[in-house]
């Protein structure tokens, strides 16, 4: 039976191992590394997808000549820049951890990952939502798609939402890993 054994003994007292069937210590069950957690192949894949989508949103938005006409689009460029930089750095750290065979289970490291993922995913979602609102305003309400780059704005906004969809699992896995200690 592979389950955790409760610790009901005083901290300073060493445990006694007996050969009896009742008091044999079972090996502690550790939470398995789920794909998507730091230091797993799924984690590297999520980070790489975040980088691709954030970089795509940044590239598409920055190549339009009039993205600076709305503050929400400037905010999207700033949030996508931060998200792409954060995701690239963590993808490199995750890939390095995989290559050397280390697990990223340190509480301080996971805390930094969790806070960073929470901040960057919130910024990305807010920027994507604001850009979506301005894009709808320009396209539907003002009818200004003829003189603006609505297709590029919509593409950049969609990529920012896709970036957020890949950033949220990273945050949730990191938070779960931190909370289950």
């Amino acid at each position: 039976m592979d389950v955790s054994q409760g610790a009901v003994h005083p901290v300073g007292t060493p445990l006694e191992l007996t050969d009896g069937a009742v008091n044999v210590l079972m090996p502690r069950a550790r939470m398995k590394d789920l794909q998507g957690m730091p230091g797993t192949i799924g984690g590297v894949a999520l980070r790489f997808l975040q980088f691709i989508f954030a970089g795509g949103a940044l590239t598409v938005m920055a190549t339009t000549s009039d993205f600076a006409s709305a503050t929400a689009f400037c905010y999207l460029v700033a949030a996508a820049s931060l998200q792409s930089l954060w995701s690239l750095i963590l993808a490199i750290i995750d890939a390095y951890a995989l290559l050397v065979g280390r697990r990223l289970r340190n509480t301080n490291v996971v805390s930094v990952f969790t806070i960073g993922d929470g901040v960057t995913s919130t910024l990305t979602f807010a920027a994507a939502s604001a850009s979506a609102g301005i894009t709808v305003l320009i396209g539907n309400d003002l009818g200004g798609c003829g003189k603006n780059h609505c297709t590029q704005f919509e593409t950049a906004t969609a990529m920012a939402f896709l970036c957020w969809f890949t950033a949220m699992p990273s945050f949730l896995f990191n938070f779960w890993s931190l909370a289950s200690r």
Side-chain angles (χ1 to χ4, degrees), residues 69-73 128-140 142 150 153:
S69 63
T71 306
F73 297 149
S129 298
S131 296
I134 296 298
T135 303
V136 168
L137 175 72
I138 291 172
N140 295 347
L142 300 178
C150 286
F153 295 155

Side-chain angles (χ1 to χ4, degrees), residues 78-164:
S81 300
L82 179 67
Q83 180 69 51
S84 62
L85 183 64
W86 176 256
S87 298
L88 180 64
I89 290 170
L90 292 188
I92 291 169
I93 291 172
D94 281 348
Y96 177 75
L98 279 174
L99 288 175
V100 297
R102 303 280 303 222
R103 300 206 187 274
L104 296 174
R105 291 296 196 109
N106 187 342
T107 305
N108 294 335
V109 172
V110 175
S111 296
V112 170
F113 283 12
T114 303
I115 292 169
D117 282 341
V119 168
T120 56
S121 66
T122 302
L123 289 174
T124 302
F125 180 71
S129 298
S131 296
I134 296 298
T135 303
V136 168
L137 175 72
I138 291 172
N140 295 347
D141 299 337
L142 300 178
C145 276
K147 57 187 170 204
N148 287 318
H149 300 93
C150 286
T151 306
Q152 286 91 350
F153 295 155
E154 290 169 354
T155 303
T157 302
M159 288 191 144
F161 275 115
L162 288 173
C163 178
W164 177 71

